Amino acid sequence: MEFYEDIKQILRDDESKQSATKIQSYNHPQGWQAVVREDREEQQVLIVVHRFGEEEEPISIPLPNYKRWTVQGDYSTKGKSYYITDQNTLEIQGLSKSDAAGIWLN
């Protein structure tokens, strides 16, 4: 509930503006998909990502380029790590098969 309280304005007021996927088949999904939601003031981003397969490689999600982002919080199981590259890309490691995470950036 605490994470929801932090990000509810993004969910309530804004639209998904970008999505990324590496899914080839939705009947037997492998890979990952992500939805990126930005707030209207361009100060916050919520990313929801799901992994479907056994891949061990990090997930890379390009972020909006209008500012330098920092991870403010996340909702996921333990063992995940998040890193924002110099190219303004979110790198996610530790997402296992059939796992998901919500990452809040500002």
Side-chain angles (χ1 to χ4, degrees), residues 38-64:
E38 303 171 48
D39 74 338
R40 291 184 181 151
E41 291 78 33
E42 299 182 337
Q43 296 299 308
Q44 301 181 78
V45 169
L46 173 65
I47 297 173
V48 179
V49 61
H50 299 89
R51 183 182 291 275
F52 299 101
E54 298 284 350
E55 297 177 28
E56 294 296 323
E57 66 189 43
I59 294 172
S60 298
I61 301 170
L63 300 173

PDB file of all heavy atoms in Angstrom, residues 38-64:
ATOM      1  N   GLU A  38       4.446   8.220 -17.714  1.00  0.00           N
ATOM      2  CA  GLU A  38       5.032   9.485 -17.277  1.00  0.00           C
ATOM      3  C   GLU A  38       3.942  10.369 -16.687  1.00  0.00           C
ATOM      4  O   GLU A  38       2.813  10.355 -17.157  1.00  0.00           O
ATOM      5  CB  GLU A  38       5.630  10.222 -18.478  1.00  0.00           C
ATOM      6  CG  GLU A  38       6.661   9.425 -19.233  1.00  0.00           C
ATOM      7  CD  GLU A  38       7.051  10.126 -20.514  1.00  0.00           C
ATOM      8  OE1 GLU A  38       7.340  11.338 -20.469  1.00  0.00           O
ATOM      9  OE2 GLU A  38       7.047   9.462 -21.559  1.00  0.00           O
ATOM     10  N   ASP A  39       4.297  11.155 -15.669  1.00  0.00           N
ATOM     11  CA  ASP A  39       3.327  12.120 -15.164  1.00  0.00           C
ATOM     12  C   ASP A  39       3.289  13.342 -16.074  1.00  0.00           C
ATOM     13  O   ASP A  39       4.180  13.557 -16.892  1.00  0.00           O
ATOM     14  CB  ASP A  39       3.614  12.499 -13.711  1.00  0.00           C
ATOM     15  CG  ASP A  39       4.812  13.415 -13.554  1.00  0.00           C
ATOM     16  OD1 ASP A  39       5.664  13.449 -14.456  1.00  0.00           O
ATOM     17  OD2 ASP A  39       4.892  14.085 -12.525  1.00  0.00           O
ATOM     18  N   ARG A  40       2.246  14.119 -15.958  1.00  0.00           N
ATOM     19  CA  ARG A  40       2.047  15.272 -16.848  1.00  0.00           C
ATOM     20  C   ARG A  40       3.106  16.350 -16.679  1.00  0.00           C
ATOM     21  O   ARG A  40       3.416  17.077 -17.615  1.00  0.00           O
ATOM     22  CB  ARG A  40       0.665  15.863 -16.625  1.00  0.00           C
ATOM     23  CG  ARG A  40      -0.402  14.939 -17.109  1.00  0.00           C
ATOM     24  CD  ARG A  40      -1.773  15.546 -16.994  1.00  0.00           C
ATOM     25  NE  ARG A  40      -2.729  14.545 -17.461  1.00  0.00           N
ATOM     26  CZ  ARG A  40      -3.957  14.468 -17.040  1.00  0.00           C
ATOM     27  NH1 ARG A  40      -4.411  15.331 -16.160  1.00  0.00           N
ATOM     28  NH2 ARG A  40      -4.766  13.542 -17.506  1.00  0.00           N
ATOM     29  N   GLU A  41       3.655  16.462 -15.499  1.00  0.00           N
ATOM     30  CA  GLU A  41       4.674  17.481 -15.236  1.00  0.00           C
ATOM     31  C   GLU A  41       6.070  17.020 -15.641  1.00  0.00           C
ATOM     32  O   GLU A  41       7.040  17.739 -15.449  1.00  0.00           O
ATOM     33  CB  GLU A  41       4.675  17.870 -13.751  1.00  0.00           C
ATOM     34  CG  GLU A  41       3.444  18.641 -13.318  1.00  0.00           C
ATOM     35  CD  GLU A  41       2.235  17.737 -13.119  1.00  0.00           C
ATOM     36  OE1 GLU A  41       2.410  16.568 -12.703  1.00  0.00           O
ATOM     37  OE2 GLU A  41       1.108  18.194 -13.386  1.00  0.00           O
ATOM     38  N   GLU A  42       6.177  15.803 -16.154  1.00  0.00           N
ATOM     39  CA  GLU A  42       7.451  15.221 -16.583  1.00  0.00           C
ATOM     40  C   GLU A  42       8.473  15.183 -15.449  1.00  0.00           C
ATOM     41  O   GLU A  42       9.644  15.473 -15.625  1.00  0.00           O
ATOM     42  CB  GLU A  42       8.007  15.957 -17.798  1.00  0.00           C
ATOM     43  CG  GLU A  42       7.086  15.875 -18.997  1.00  0.00           C
ATOM     44  CD  GLU A  42       7.625  16.545 -20.240  1.00  0.00           C
ATOM     45  OE1 GLU A  42       8.492  17.435 -20.129  1.00  0.00           O
ATOM     46  OE2 GLU A  42       7.174  16.171 -21.328  1.00  0.00           O
ATOM     47  N   GLN A  43       7.997  14.835 -14.260  1.00  0.00           N
ATOM     48  CA  GLN A  43       8.864  14.743 -13.090  1.00  0.00           C
ATOM     49  C   GLN A  43       8.970  13.335 -12.533  1.00  0.00           C
ATOM     50  O   GLN A  43       9.848  13.048 -11.731  1.00  0.00           O
ATOM     51  CB  GLN A  43       8.370  15.683 -11.991  1.00  0.00           C
ATOM     52  CG  GLN A  43       8.430  17.140 -12.373  1.00  0.00           C
ATOM     53  CD  GLN A  43       9.852  17.579 -12.681  1.00  0.00           C
ATOM     54  OE1 GLN A  43      10.758  17.359 -11.886  1.00  0.00           O
ATOM     55  NE2 GLN A  43      10.048  18.186 -13.835  1.00  0.00           N
ATOM     56  N   GLN A  44       8.043  12.440 -12.925  1.00  0.00           N
ATOM     57  CA  GLN A  44       8.019  11.084 -12.400  1.00  0.00           C
ATOM     58  C   GLN A  44       7.695  10.083 -13.512  1.00  0.00           C
ATOM     59  O   GLN A  44       6.982  10.425 -14.450  1.00  0.00           O
ATOM     60  CB  GLN A  44       6.961  10.944 -11.310  1.00  0.00           C
ATOM     61  CG  GLN A  44       7.168  11.870 -10.142  1.00  0.00           C
ATOM     62  CD  GLN A  44       6.110  11.651  -9.111  1.00  0.00           C
ATOM     63  OE1 GLN A  44       6.171  10.699  -8.358  1.00  0.00           O
ATOM     64  NE2 GLN A  44       5.114  12.538  -9.088  1.00  0.00           N
ATOM     65  N   VAL A  45       8.199   8.896 -13.348  1.00  0.00           N
ATOM     66  CA  VAL A  45       7.931   7.804 -14.284  1.00  0.00           C
ATOM     67  C   VAL A  45       7.685   6.542 -13.479  1.00  0.00           C
ATOM     68  O   VAL A  45       8.353   6.291 -12.473  1.00  0.00           O
ATOM     69  CB  VAL A  45       9.127   7.588 -15.252  1.00  0.00           C
ATOM     70  CG1 VAL A  45       8.986   6.316 -16.047  1.00  0.00           C
ATOM     71  CG2 VAL A  45       9.285   8.770 -16.188  1.00  0.00           C
ATOM     72  N   LEU A  46       6.708   5.763 -13.921  1.00  0.00           N
ATOM     73  CA  LEU A  46       6.468   4.440 -13.359  1.00  0.00           C
ATOM     74  C   LEU A  46       6.697   3.423 -14.459  1.00  0.00           C
ATOM     75  O   LEU A  46       6.156   3.556 -15.559  1.00  0.00           O
ATOM     76  CB  LEU A  46       5.027   4.312 -12.842  1.00  0.00           C
ATOM     77  CG  LEU A  46       4.615   2.911 -12.394  1.00  0.00           C
ATOM     78  CD1 LEU A  46       5.420   2.474 -11.167  1.00  0.00           C
ATOM     79  CD2 LEU A  46       3.124   2.852 -12.123  1.00  0.00           C
ATOM     80  N   ILE A  47       7.508   2.417 -14.173  1.00  0.00           N
ATOM     81  CA  ILE A  47       7.767   1.333 -15.119  1.00  0.00           C
ATOM     82  C   ILE A  47       7.285   0.042 -14.487  1.00  0.00           C
ATOM     83  O   ILE A  47       7.644  -0.278 -13.351  1.00  0.00           O
ATOM     84  CB  ILE A  47       9.263   1.224 -15.452  1.00  0.00           C
ATOM     85  CG1 ILE A  47       9.713   2.515 -16.138  1.00  0.00           C
ATOM     86  CG2 ILE A  47       9.536   0.003 -16.323  1.00  0.00           C
ATOM     87  CD1 ILE A  47      11.181   2.600 -16.367  1.00  0.00           C
ATOM     88  N   VAL A  48       6.457  -0.692 -15.230  1.00  0.00           N
ATOM     89  CA  VAL A  48       6.010  -2.020 -14.807  1.00  0.00           C
ATOM     90  C   VAL A  48       6.573  -2.999 -15.829  1.00  0.00           C
ATOM     91  O   VAL A  48       6.321  -2.866 -17.029  1.00  0.00           O
ATOM     92  CB  VAL A  48       4.474  -2.114 -14.734  1.00  0.00           C
ATOM     93  CG1 VAL A  48       4.048  -3.512 -14.328  1.00  0.00           C
ATOM     94  CG2 VAL A  48       3.929  -1.069 -13.764  1.00  0.00           C
ATOM     95  N   VAL A  49       7.353  -3.946 -15.354  1.00  0.00           N
ATOM     96  CA  VAL A  49       8.034  -4.884 -16.244  1.00  0.00           C
ATOM     97  C   VAL A  49       7.743  -6.319 -15.810  1.00  0.00           C
ATOM     98  O   VAL A  49       7.647  -6.611 -14.616  1.00  0.00           O
ATOM     99  CB  VAL A  49       9.559  -4.594 -16.291  1.00  0.00           C
ATOM    100  CG1 VAL A  49      10.198  -4.748 -14.929  1.00  0.00           C
ATOM    101  CG2 VAL A  49      10.257  -5.470 -17.315  1.00  0.00           C
ATOM    102  N   HIS A  50       7.567  -7.215 -16.798  1.00  0.00           N
ATOM    103  CA  HIS A  50       7.326  -8.641 -16.572  1.00  0.00           C
ATOM    104  C   HIS A  50       8.323  -9.450 -17.388  1.00  0.00           C
ATOM    105  O   HIS A  50       8.565  -9.122 -18.552  1.00  0.00           O
ATOM    106  CB  HIS A  50       5.918  -9.041 -17.035  1.00  0.00           C
ATOM    107  CG  HIS A  50       4.831  -8.332 -16.326  1.00  0.00           C
ATOM    108  ND1 HIS A  50       4.330  -7.127 -16.767  1.00  0.00           N
ATOM    109  CD2 HIS A  50       4.147  -8.648 -15.211  1.00  0.00           C
ATOM    110  CE1 HIS A  50       3.371  -6.738 -15.948  1.00  0.00           C
ATOM    111  NE2 HIS A  50       3.246  -7.632 -14.994  1.00  0.00           N
ATOM    112  N   ARG A  51       8.873 -10.495 -16.790  1.00  0.00           N
ATOM    113  CA  ARG A  51       9.738 -11.435 -17.520  1.00  0.00           C
ATOM    114  C   ARG A  51       8.987 -12.761 -17.625  1.00  0.00           C
ATOM    115  O   ARG A  51       8.381 -13.209 -16.664  1.00  0.00           O
ATOM    116  CB  ARG A  51      11.068 -11.657 -16.819  1.00  0.00           C
ATOM    117  CG  ARG A  51      11.978 -12.579 -17.645  1.00  0.00           C
ATOM    118  CD  ARG A  51      13.300 -12.878 -17.001  1.00  0.00           C
ATOM    119  NE  ARG A  51      14.194 -11.753 -16.919  1.00  0.00           N
ATOM    120  CZ  ARG A  51      15.021 -11.359 -17.895  1.00  0.00           C
ATOM    121  NH1 ARG A  51      15.013 -11.959 -19.054  1.00  0.00           N
ATOM    122  NH2 ARG A  51      15.835 -10.352 -17.694  1.00  0.00           N
ATOM    123  N   PHE A  52       9.059 -13.359 -18.804  1.00  0.00           N
ATOM    124  CA  PHE A  52       8.335 -14.606 -19.057  1.00  0.00           C
ATOM    125  C   PHE A  52       9.235 -15.807 -19.221  1.00  0.00           C
ATOM    126  O   PHE A  52       8.788 -16.927 -19.054  1.00  0.00           O
ATOM    127  CB  PHE A  52       7.474 -14.461 -20.319  1.00  0.00           C
ATOM    128  CG  PHE A  52       6.452 -13.379 -20.184  1.00  0.00           C
ATOM    129  CD1 PHE A  52       6.657 -12.144 -20.759  1.00  0.00           C
ATOM    130  CD2 PHE A  52       5.296 -13.591 -19.462  1.00  0.00           C
ATOM    131  CE1 PHE A  52       5.712 -11.140 -20.635  1.00  0.00           C
ATOM    132  CE2 PHE A  52       4.353 -12.586 -19.328  1.00  0.00           C
ATOM    133  CZ  PHE A  52       4.566 -11.362 -19.916  1.00  0.00           C
ATOM    134  N   GLY A  53      10.475 -15.632 -19.584  1.00  0.00           N
ATOM    135  CA  GLY A  53      11.339 -16.765 -19.876  1.00  0.00           C
ATOM    136  C   GLY A  53      12.475 -16.905 -18.901  1.00  0.00           C
ATOM    137  O   GLY A  53      12.553 -16.231 -17.889  1.00  0.00           O
ATOM    138  N   GLU A  54      13.371 -17.786 -19.247  1.00  0.00           N
ATOM    139  CA  GLU A  54      14.509 -18.121 -18.390  1.00  0.00           C
ATOM    140  C   GLU A  54      15.733 -17.239 -18.636  1.00  0.00           C
ATOM    141  O   GLU A  54      16.777 -17.500 -18.094  1.00  0.00           O
ATOM    142  CB  GLU A  54      14.912 -19.584 -18.626  1.00  0.00           C
ATOM    143  CG  GLU A  54      13.842 -20.576 -18.282  1.00  0.00           C
ATOM    144  CD  GLU A  54      13.695 -20.787 -16.787  1.00  0.00           C
ATOM    145  OE1 GLU A  54      14.544 -20.304 -16.020  1.00  0.00           O
ATOM    146  OE2 GLU A  54      12.721 -21.426 -16.390  1.00  0.00           O
ATOM    147  N   GLU A  55      15.611 -16.219 -19.476  1.00  0.00           N
ATOM    148  CA  GLU A  55      16.763 -15.395 -19.821  1.00  0.00           C
ATOM    149  C   GLU A  55      17.414 -14.802 -18.581  1.00  0.00           C
ATOM    150  O   GLU A  55      16.741 -14.393 -17.658  1.00  0.00           O
ATOM    151  CB  GLU A  55      16.341 -14.264 -20.758  1.00  0.00           C
ATOM    152  CG  GLU A  55      15.807 -14.743 -22.074  1.00  0.00           C
ATOM    153  CD  GLU A  55      15.331 -13.580 -22.929  1.00  0.00           C
ATOM    154  OE1 GLU A  55      15.867 -12.475 -22.780  1.00  0.00           O
ATOM    155  OE2 GLU A  55      14.416 -13.802 -23.723  1.00  0.00           O
ATOM    156  N   GLU A  56      18.724 -14.759 -18.603  1.00  0.00           N
ATOM    157  CA  GLU A  56      19.468 -14.187 -17.486  1.00  0.00           C
ATOM    158  C   GLU A  56      19.984 -12.793 -17.800  1.00  0.00           C
ATOM    159  O   GLU A  56      20.462 -12.097 -16.919  1.00  0.00           O
ATOM    160  CB  GLU A  56      20.642 -15.092 -17.119  1.00  0.00           C
ATOM    161  CG  GLU A  56      20.206 -16.437 -16.578  1.00  0.00           C
ATOM    162  CD  GLU A  56      19.438 -16.314 -15.264  1.00  0.00           C
ATOM    163  OE1 GLU A  56      19.784 -15.450 -14.439  1.00  0.00           O
ATOM    164  OE2 GLU A  56      18.484 -17.075 -15.081  1.00  0.00           O
ATOM    165  N   GLU A  57      19.894 -12.375 -19.056  1.00  0.00           N
ATOM    166  CA  GLU A  57      20.436 -11.072 -19.429  1.00  0.00           C
ATOM    167  C   GLU A  57      19.658  -9.946 -18.769  1.00  0.00           C
ATOM    168  O   GLU A  57      18.474 -10.086 -18.473  1.00  0.00           O
ATOM    169  CB  GLU A  57      20.408 -10.910 -20.951  1.00  0.00           C
ATOM    170  CG  GLU A  57      19.007 -10.845 -21.509  1.00  0.00           C
ATOM    171  CD  GLU A  57      18.973 -10.912 -23.026  1.00  0.00           C
ATOM    172  OE1 GLU A  57      19.705 -11.724 -23.589  1.00  0.00           O
ATOM    173  OE2 GLU A  57      18.203 -10.144 -23.612  1.00  0.00           O
ATOM    174  N   PRO A  58      20.320  -8.819 -18.542  1.00  0.00           N
ATOM    175  CA  PRO A  58      19.612  -7.668 -17.973  1.00  0.00           C
ATOM    176  C   PRO A  58      18.558  -7.154 -18.954  1.00  0.00           C
ATOM    177  O   PRO A  58      18.682  -7.306 -20.160  1.00  0.00           O
ATOM    178  CB  PRO A  58      20.700  -6.620 -17.781  1.00  0.00           C
ATOM    179  CG  PRO A  58      21.993  -7.327 -17.922  1.00  0.00           C
ATOM    180  CD  PRO A  58      21.737  -8.558 -18.717  1.00  0.00           C
ATOM    181  N   ILE A  59      17.535  -6.525 -18.415  1.00  0.00           N
ATOM    182  CA  ILE A  59      16.514  -5.868 -19.218  1.00  0.00           C
ATOM    183  C   ILE A  59      16.907  -4.403 -19.320  1.00  0.00           C
ATOM    184  O   ILE A  59      17.211  -3.767 -18.309  1.00  0.00           O
ATOM    185  CB  ILE A  59      15.128  -6.026 -18.562  1.00  0.00           C
ATOM    186  CG1 ILE A  59      14.726  -7.503 -18.579  1.00  0.00           C
ATOM    187  CG2 ILE A  59      14.097  -5.165 -19.264  1.00  0.00           C
ATOM    188  CD1 ILE A  59      13.464  -7.797 -17.797  1.00  0.00           C
ATOM    189  N   SER A  60      16.895  -3.854 -20.525  1.00  0.00           N
ATOM    190  CA  SER A  60      17.252  -2.457 -20.767  1.00  0.00           C
ATOM    191  C   SER A  60      16.043  -1.715 -21.306  1.00  0.00           C
ATOM    192  O   SER A  60      15.503  -2.086 -22.350  1.00  0.00           O
ATOM    193  CB  SER A  60      18.392  -2.361 -21.782  1.00  0.00           C
ATOM    194  OG  SER A  60      19.543  -2.998 -21.289  1.00  0.00           O
ATOM    195  N   ILE A  61      15.628  -0.663 -20.610  1.00  0.00           N
ATOM    196  CA  ILE A  61      14.457   0.117 -21.006  1.00  0.00           C
ATOM    197  C   ILE A  61      14.873   1.578 -21.179  1.00  0.00           C
ATOM    198  O   ILE A  61      15.297   2.216 -20.210  1.00  0.00           O
ATOM    199  CB  ILE A  61      13.345  -0.002 -19.951  1.00  0.00           C
ATOM    200  CG1 ILE A  61      12.953  -1.475 -19.779  1.00  0.00           C
ATOM    201  CG2 ILE A  61      12.143   0.847 -20.342  1.00  0.00           C
ATOM    202  CD1 ILE A  61      12.043  -1.734 -18.618  1.00  0.00           C
ATOM    203  N   PRO A  62      14.750   2.118 -22.394  1.00  0.00           N
ATOM    204  CA  PRO A  62      15.065   3.531 -22.602  1.00  0.00           C
ATOM    205  C   PRO A  62      14.092   4.419 -21.819  1.00  0.00           C
ATOM    206  O   PRO A  62      12.892   4.146 -21.779  1.00  0.00           O
ATOM    207  CB  PRO A  62      14.868   3.735 -24.106  1.00  0.00           C
ATOM    208  CG  PRO A  62      14.813   2.378 -24.699  1.00  0.00           C
ATOM    209  CD  PRO A  62      14.354   1.450 -23.623  1.00  0.00           C
ATOM    210  N   LEU A  63      14.621   5.458 -21.215  1.00  0.00           N
ATOM    211  CA  LEU A  63      13.814   6.389 -20.431  1.00  0.00           C
ATOM    212  C   LEU A  63      13.611   7.688 -21.198  1.00  0.00           C
ATOM    213  O   LEU A  63      14.406   8.012 -22.085  1.00  0.00           O
ATOM    214  CB  LEU A  63      14.508   6.684 -19.098  1.00  0.00           C
ATOM    215  CG  LEU A  63      14.746   5.474 -18.209  1.00  0.00           C
ATOM    216  CD1 LEU A  63      15.596   5.859 -17.005  1.00  0.00           C
ATOM    217  CD2 LEU A  63      13.428   4.859 -17.781  1.00  0.00           C
ATOM    218  N   PRO A  64      12.561   8.445 -20.868  1.00  0.00           N
ATOM    219  CA  PRO A  64      12.384   9.753 -21.496  1.00  0.00           C
ATOM    220  C   PRO A  64      13.639  10.599 -21.271  1.00  0.00           C
ATOM    221  O   PRO A  64      14.220  10.588 -20.191  1.00  0.00           O
ATOM    222  CB  PRO A  64      11.180  10.342 -20.760  1.00  0.00           C
ATOM    223  CG  PRO A  64      10.449   9.157 -20.220  1.00  0.00           C
ATOM    224  CD  PRO A  64      11.491   8.128 -19.916  1.00  0.00           C
TER     225      PRO A  64
END
